[in-house]
Amino acid sequence: MGGFKQFLLRGNIVELAVAVIVGATFSGLVQAFVTDLITPLIGAVTGGRQPNFAEYSFTINGSQFKYGDFLNHLLTFLIISAIVYWLVVAPMTRLISLLDRKKTAATKQCPECLSDIPTEARRCAHCTVELVPDSEKPRP
């Protein structure tokens, strides 16, 4: 029983639960954005007719195939994917690249073995060549 309690109280389980709750809430937000803003925008562009393919279907041997409903879900998926990409993924990618640039400024390449080392290192940890830290180099 102690192992199970420890498993439940680990940080990963709590983080996962929070992620699921935030993800479900975010899903509702994105659905509302698509329904309330994007779909009417498409309707305005197409002359006031909002796209709804739910009635489209065909029948073979008494079985009804509702391909229009599938098209509605496909369009919703594509619109939501595009919105999530442009509003979440692209800005996060830019932010991470900005943070990585600052991180790389704290390291430099060893002139002998080309491994990454701290800028103020006096000796390479990989090939042990002696280095002059950037702060001690003469300025031209």
Side-chain angles (χ1 to χ4, degrees):
M1 190 69 174
F4 183 67
K5 181 180 175 184
Q6 184 181 10
F7 169 75
L8 288 178
L9 296 177
R10 280 192 357 215
N12 295 344
I13 290 291
V14 174
E15 290 171 7
L16 181 61
V18 169
V20 168
I21 292 168
V22 169
T25 305
F26 184 72
S27 172
L29 178 68
V30 172
Q31 284 284 358
F33 182 75
V34 169
T35 303
D36 300 337
L37 298 173
I38 300 298
T39 303
L41 182 64
I42 292 171
V45 170
T46 59
R49 211 177 106 230
Q50 294 183 5
N52 186 6
F53 305 108
E55 303 88 33
Y56 296 162
S57 65
F58 63 90
T59 305
I60 298 177
N61 290 336
S63 295
Q64 188 176 20
F65 295 88
K66 298 179 181 182
Y67 69 93
D69 190 46
F70 174 74
L71 287 176
N72 275 342
H73 287 283
L74 179 65
L75 285 173
T76 301
F77 171 76
L78 292 174
I79 291 169
I80 289 173
S81 298
I83 290 169
V84 167
Y85 176 78
W86 290 110
L87 295 181
V88 177
V89 175
M92 286 301 294
T93 303
R94 272 187 254 129
L95 178 65
I96 290 171
S97 69
L98 287 174
L99 294 175
D100 281 346
R101 268 192 236 145
K102 290 180 181 178
K103 179 182 169 187
T104 57
T107 62
K108 64 180 180 181
Q109 268 192 336
C110 173
E112 294 294 320
C113 68
L114 303 178
S115 60
D116 289 333
I117 55 173
T119 54
E120 295 298 315
R122 296 181 179 276
R123 187 176 294 271
C124 177
H126 303 281
C127 68
T128 68
V129 68
E130 287 192 41
L131 305 166
V132 177
D134 290 341
S135 62
E136 294 179 14
K137 286 184 180 177
R139 304 214 178 213

